[in-house]
Amino acid sequence: IDRPNTQFGLSPEETVAPRTISQGLPDSFIDMTLDEALAIGLQDTRVLRGLNAQVLINPGSVDTSFDTAISDSNPNFGTAAALSQFDAVLQSNLNHANNDDVFNNPFVGGGATEVLQDLSIWDWSLSKTGATGTNYSLGGFVQHDLNNSPSSLFPHSWRTLLEASVRKPLLQGNGLQFNRIAGPNARPGFRFFNGILISQLNNEITAAEFERGVRDYVTSVITAYWELYFAYRSFEAAKSSRDIGYETWRGVKSRFESGLPGGEADAEAQARDQYYQFQQRVNEALSGSRAGTVGVLQAEANLRRLLGLPQTSTEFIRPADHPLEARVAYDWDQLVDEALACRVEVRQQLRQVRRRELELLASRSFTLPRLDAIATYRNNGFGDDLAGTGPRFASALQDATNRDHDEWEFGLRYNVPLGFRQGHSAVRHAELNLQRERAVLEEQGKQIVHDLGSAYRQLDRAFNNLRFGRERYDAAKKTVAARTAAFEEDLSSIVDLLQAQRRLSEAEIDYYRARAEYTGANFDVMRESGRLLQNLSVSIAEAGM
């Protein structure tokens, strides 16, 4: 019996038990740059991965590389579906009937009270709708009739018909623009049919949705990468503080055992307490905590999840890039211009606006009467046989080529709903949809400027926080060095030394956090300006299916 994981395409490496705090870190590492991480993650975009478990919570909302192709291949609203409304359609029927009719009145039966008949009919038609909405059709039939009616000219006879017709809308449904927007079979509201222009816009909107998903995925990888960087640095800082705390406790314990000043029982207890506190921080920095600390093990697993790698390996990923330290300056006006032009949400909404504009143009056609010009030509043939030559009616094909029974007709067909209630409602509906999309676009611009401003402010805050954090870290190291020397000379209490060590531990962790936050803030500005994918040289091409 196969294990359950086989139906999910999971390899044995992907179901290995995760590494825990009891095992610690492995001995070997993979030093990976951010570009390398993105390259690995973007190799497979069939489903854009995330850490929020949306693939389980709401699978239908997950972005995949199939979405654009699915939209384009929709049999009702896709591009091919829109073009199919203009395809030529061939229809044919072949029927044979054996009839036995009994008449109570011979006059009704053509002089007979019972008529036996064998009737065979083959009919066909070929129709096509043109780009302007004009319908062209060509069709006909061949009929063979064998009966015993005494009033028949021949015991068996053949009939042929060739008919060509044209139906051109003159008002409603007329024109290239309407049919490219709505299609020849459109109804008010465009619920069941779309034209080629609307279908193309729908595909572009879906493609933009996938691009937005890629951008969010890249943002998640960037965030996870720098979280892992901080987790490693936090772990190293916690170990350094623990080692310092251990050396301090061992020194105080030695004094306690020798009865020397500075080795009082409470001093030894405080030094021991702080050492174990630092040891707990090492554990949390390695494996995380319920309070929100991620830890190296979980941060590395998160990055692996985003990159589509097994959660456990003998080699741990270790960031090879270093965070920013220099100040990054942006031109605000240029950022705003780029954001309003490049943000995928804006490009997506502009297509929505364009779609509504086209729908409004097409909807106005429904306020016009339906007036169609119709022209038909028919060629008839009748004869004793289907083919051959001879006197009149010797064969149906000969009779047809003689064109003795040609027919034609021309006319106008007019249909108008009094009041045009549905047509005017369709126009009003389209106008409101257009107003809504334009209002949404306007608010999007305001929101983009607001979000960009927030990212811009956070970048400046993060840089200043980094600068102050660096100074704080340097000051904390000097304080510990000074108080250690003073404690060894019995010029300072153990309380002052332990307090300085705690502050050094906090300052070091906060400094590395500030470095990661500043780098992340810079990527946030790129994201809000709509240039993230371009700056990272990430391009999106339609996947071949």
Side-chain angles (χ1 to χ4, degrees), residues 233-341:
R233 296 302 178 270
S234 178
F235 178 61
E236 294 299 327
K239 289 198 302 180
S240 177
S241 298
R242 179 201 60 188
D243 295 342
I244 292 174
Y246 176 74
E247 292 298 327
T248 301
W249 172 45
R250 190 174 65 171
V252 175
K253 182 180 180 182
S254 177
R255 292 188 181 195
F256 171 74
E257 292 173 347
S258 301
L260 297 176
E264 294 79 7
D266 63 332
E268 186 276 336
Q270 289 183 63
R272 177 158 43 90
D273 171 72
Q274 180 153 294
Y275 162 68
Y276 284 113
Q277 182 182 9
F278 285 156
Q279 181 60 55
Q280 286 181 323
R281 290 184 180 180
V282 170
N283 292 343
E284 291 180 354
L286 178 60
S287 64
S289 68
R290 295 179 63 87
T293 303
V294 177
V296 175
L297 298 180
Q298 187 61 50
E300 201 266 353
N302 288 345
L303 182 59
R304 283 181 168 274
R305 172 68 186 106
L306 290 173
L307 301 186
L309 300 176
Q311 68 167 334
T312 302
S313 175
T314 56
E315 294 181 318
F316 252 41
I317 298 174
R318 185 168 57 187
D321 290 344
H322 296 284
L324 292 172
E325 293 230 42
R327 189 180 191 97
V328 180
Y330 290 98
D331 181 85
W332 170 252
D333 293 333
Q334 182 179 357
L335 282 178
V336 172
D337 292 341
E338 289 180 348
L340 295 179

Side-chain angles (χ1 to χ4, degrees), residues 315-463:
E315 294 181 318
F316 252 41
I317 298 174
R318 185 168 57 187
D321 290 344
H322 296 284
L324 292 172
E325 293 230 42
R327 189 180 191 97
V328 180
Y330 290 98
D331 181 85
W332 170 252
D333 293 333
Q334 182 179 357
L335 282 178
V336 172
D337 292 341
E338 289 180 348
L340 295 179
C342 300
R343 281 287 292 267
V344 63
E345 293 88 350
V346 172
R347 291 186 278 114
Q348 189 176 28
Q349 187 61 24
L350 284 172
R351 287 171 173 80
Q352 287 281 15
V353 171
R354 180 56 180 162
R355 172 182 172 176
R356 298 307 185 186
E357 289 174 344
L358 293 176
E359 289 179 351
L360 178 57
L361 285 174
S363 294
R364 294 194 175 108
S365 178
F366 296 122
T367 61
L368 300 174
R370 184 77 191 196
L371 178 62
D372 297 348
I374 302 173
T376 304
Y377 167 79
R378 285 184 291 270
N379 173 266
N380 294 285
F382 175 78
D384 186 21
D385 289 318
L386 176 62
T389 58
R392 191 184 187 192
F393 301 133
S395 74
L397 293 180
Q398 175 182 282
D399 189 53
T401 56
N402 291 335
R403 301 181 60 184
D404 291 338
H405 314 296
D406 284 3
E407 301 173 349
W408 62 268
E409 63 178 282
F410 173 78
L412 297 173
R413 180 169 295 177
Y414 185 71
N415 186 315
V416 54
L418 300 181
F420 288 101
R421 184 175 298 180
Q422 188 179 35
H424 287 300
S425 177
V427 172
R428 179 60 176 162
H429 182 71
E431 289 174 342
L432 292 174
N433 277 329
L434 177 57
Q435 292 175 15
R436 179 191 182 278
E437 301 303 342
R438 285 176 174 170
V440 169
L441 178 63
E442 182 179 337
E443 284 302 314
Q444 280 186 339
K446 296 176 182 179
Q447 186 65 41
I448 285 172
V449 173
H450 171 79
D451 293 343
L452 183 61
S454 298
Y456 190 80
R457 282 189 294 270
Q458 289 302 313
L459 179 65
D460 187 64
R461 177 204 62 79
F463 175 74

